Amino acid sequence: MTRKIAIFDTTLRDGEQSPGASMNAEEKLVITRELLRMNVDVIEAGFPVSSPGDFRSVRTIAEEVGDKAVVCALSRAVIKDIDSAADALRFAARPRIHTGIGVSPSHLHDKLRITEEVAIERAVAAVRHARRRVDDVEFYAEDAGRADYEFLVRIVESVIAAGATVVNIPDTTGYSLPDEFGRRIGYLMEHVEGIEGITLSVHCHNDLGMATALSLAGVANGATQVECTINGLGERAGNTAVEEVVMAVRMHGEELDAHTDIVTTELTRASRLVSSITGISVQPNKAIVGANAFAHSSGIHQDGVIKKRDTYEIINPSDVGASGSSIILTARSGHAALRARLEALNYHYEGEALGRLYDAFLDVADKKKEVYDEDLEALVGEHTRNATAVYLLKAVQVSCGVPLIATATITLADREGVETTEVAYGTGPVDAVYKAVNKVVQVDNDLTEFSVQSVTRGIDALGEVTVRIAAPDGEVFSGRGADGDIIVSSTKAYLNALNRMINKTTAQRGQPKLTPQDTAE
Ligand code: KIV
Ligand code: ZN
């Protein structure tokens, strides 16, 4: 039997640190359920001290997960962070506190301004304190990829002696080359006293596009836990993508002496779900889950694949849940058929919620003859977004063309159901709609990105619009909307981004959310 590699998913924590990827508690719960279906080993649910919202969300996720996975909460090597993490995990069946400190010369001298000895003292004190609150404590040595080898050995040995059960070696800046990072892990395996009694973890960033390669080099040299995110979301260029590392381990399990327990057929669905919730699209040529990952366009390749699939295809699309759907709903399908199809896709809707989704489904089915699984997933995404909306779209109409001046009339309803209608002109229909929305919502922002993509193929396909807006303080919010009419999708996407911005600003009330990279006072 090969070594089991634990999959530590940090989509809800490091992934959420991607600009524009902030998620509300309900959205995080939906993703948690998908992570459970994937059978991940550890879910990093958040950074509880960073905001009351994050604290509550970690608590709710811990309750939802029960004993199906370890639930982990992040903290800096600071007592109040650790206590907050422990309190948020109070009802977790398998709680883990993830605490740590910077260990590279840059972190020690420039950010923290402390000596190596002080860093070791703080790390040991943090681990000891965390061990008083929970039995499972993971220590992260931030920026370990650029740390001095001997110092890294000393700090890792000290935290193991203090009670750490897992030690995480992050390449925080994505600086390393795979060979060198692998050597670093091998060096720790060889030189750290007590390392055989703990789990060694790797957490790599993608700044040079090598996060997956770095993680695999870690596994090849002794790591038995990989930290990763769905679609590789995360700070800057992101983290190791779970779908890439899982499929690489599956393909090269013998050479790596490794396997994971991930249900690979969930990977495509997980990718779509996270993309739909965060509004961050997956690039078409993304490995494993991109729209083109199994598309063959050149004649020579098509000929090869027709003769034998593995001529040009190393993964069977059905292994990652990417095969086309066989059941297609139409306007004649009733509530039961919709519910059954949703159940097959692992979405559970009953009563009023099912009724609302059915109405939205009928709208689509009336316009489009056949409703595919991808359409249903887009509708579910829409439904989840609307659950927390401050403003809902009631009506939108545009007149545009040559030689007209584009004019939009929109009606929005607020949470109390009060409807407001506004009219605006613009350089085009979308500009006119956005100006009309601005007249109602009145929140200062800059539209920085706008893109349209079709959910399925064909002229009647749902058009999915993704937008990104920047708040005056520079914070980015993404929004997504799907409809058969792209003016409606555009309006929904913009409203979704505005709703996220308003919800976040209200929740924070002027307090900027901490990140683990903030220095503790
Ligand atoms: O990249 C990093 O070093 C981190 C730590 C907080 C684990 O995300
Ligand atoms: Zn990270």
Side-chain angles (χ1 to χ4, degrees), residues 14 203 205 239:
D14 212 322
H203 173 118
H205 279 267
N239 288 68

Side-chain angles (χ1 to χ4, degrees), residues 13-14 74 98 140 142-143 168 170 172 203 205 227 516-517:
R13 197 280 297 170
D14 212 322
L74 189 77
H98 190 190
Y140 66 84
E142 193 179 0
D143 206 13
N168 173 15
T172 304
H203 173 118
H205 279 267
E227 311 202 355
Q517 282 71 36

